[in-house]
Amino acid sequence: QVQLVESGGGLVHTGGSLRLSCAASGRTFSYSPVGWFRQTPGKEREFVADISWNGGITTYAVSVKGRFTVSRDNAKNMVYLEMNSLKPEDTAVYYCAAGVVGGRYTYWGQGTQVTVSS
């Protein structure tokens, strides 16, 4: 069992930065890839970025590549999403997820709101 809690969301102006954190509990977290997703009302949840269990492999959505950076600290059971050059279209609730089973993430956090004003 893994429990995830996101934090770090807030309101920023266009071009600003935020750092989201995902705090995890559970022994298996350190061996799990972790993904970041986002969702706005009326839209499907979309992939943002993910990171392999040891941090060696990261992937990003085209829309955030070059602006967002995902990292992790397994000693602290933490995963981070550094978001720079934020745009209004980045406004969403951001979720972290872990525990891949059958190609799908099993555990999800409650989300943290990011709002980028123009």
Side-chain angles (χ1 to χ4, degrees):
Q1 189 81 2
V2 175
Q3 293 184 322
L4 305 171
V5 178
E6 302 94 336
S7 62
L11 172 65
V12 294
H13 293 297
T14 298
S17 299
L18 281 174
R19 188 196 199 199
L20 304 184
S21 298
C22 174
S25 62
R27 294 171 57 189
T28 60
F29 176 78
S30 297
Y31 305 102
S32 171
V34 173
W36 284 98
F37 295 78
R38 65 188 182 187
Q39 189 170 24
T40 53
K43 291 189 176 181
E44 296 276 326
R45 186 165 52 197
E46 67 169 346
F47 168 78
V48 175
D50 64 14
I51 187 166
S52 61
W53 71 272
N54 64 353
I57 300 172
T58 57
T59 57
Y60 298 91
V62 171
S63 59
V64 307
K65 198 167 188 178
R67 301 188 296 123
F68 291 11
T69 303
V70 59
S71 62
R72 68 189 299 163
D73 184 343
N74 283 345
K76 297 180 178 178
N77 270 12
M78 296 291 293
V79 174
Y80 306 99
L81 184 67
E82 186 77 33
M83 306 187 297
N84 298 312
S85 302
L86 283 162
K87 306 174 181 179
E89 51 263 44
D90 294 318
T91 295
V93 177
Y94 284 70
Y95 301 89
C96 63
V100 177
V101 176
R104 291 177 175 267
Y105 283 102
T106 304
Y107 305 107
W108 293 82
Q110 83 291 346
T112 185
Q113 176 71 46
V114 171
T115 303
V116 185
S117 64
S118 57

